[in-house]
Amino acid sequence: MTQLAPVITIDGPTASGKGTVAHRVASALGFSVLDSGALYRLTALSILNQQIDPDDANAVAGAAQVLQVEFHQNGVRLAGQEVSELIRQEQVGNLASRIAPNPALRAALLDRQRAFRRFPGLVADGRDMGTIVFPDAKLKIFLVASAEARAQRRCNQLIEKGISANLADLLRDMRERDARDTRRAVAPLVPAQGAHTVDSSNLTIDQTVQAILDLWRASF
Ligand code: DC
């Protein structure tokens, strides 16, 4: 039987620090990274650009199927255009969350996500990495943090980038998005079977990364 490369999945709500933590864990182990949320954000950007109706499930899935995506060292290009900053905008993230329940869209992105699996290993971050995309992952993490801690982090990030931000608005958006991501019928945000829950509300990034690396070493 061909052996598949090992996978660590990191699922969790928006702004739980998944992205940063996934990159740090991957670099410590020499693994590749899949930022699955970026694929949903890229689809959202693509339908915005093409003025596709977000409620037209087939058209949205069609847009995902033909996405021309190139992940590179410092970001991502869509149809040759650098869009790393653009896809991080709240408007794009909110649209991504809105279209994400579409089963045809999720099916369209499935093989694209699995294609990231390669030796020596992959760290995949998202909402359904451990439940749907890589159910056979060797280590599954459910990374959580309180909505207040996440809103504060997002606020700091935006202010650092010189973008004005309002904590109360961010907290409200975050709660709405959590509710949508958790309650949707298809691939909801729930801990995978066998997942280890890591609460980063009171941990630094270094401590969170270390906790995951310790769990990885303990998994052998
Ligand atoms: O992780 P993120 O905030 O970049 O993800 C943006 C949206 O994409 C999120 O609100 C829900 C959706 N998403 C998803 O449904 N499944 C994933 N594996 C990753 C993201």
Side-chain angles (χ1 to χ4, degrees), residues 14 36-37 40-41 97 100 106 127-129 177 181 184:
T14 195
S36 64
Y40 289 87
R41 288 169 182 270
S97 164
R106 305 200 72 86
R127 304 292 188 288
D128 61 344
M129 298 296 98
R177 210 142 116 194
D181 290 353
R184 70 185 182 207

Side-chain angles (χ1 to χ4, degrees), residues 30-43:
F31 285 13
S32 318
V33 181
L34 163 62
D35 170 4
S36 64
L39 293 173
Y40 289 87
R41 288 169 182 270
L42 288 160
T43 307

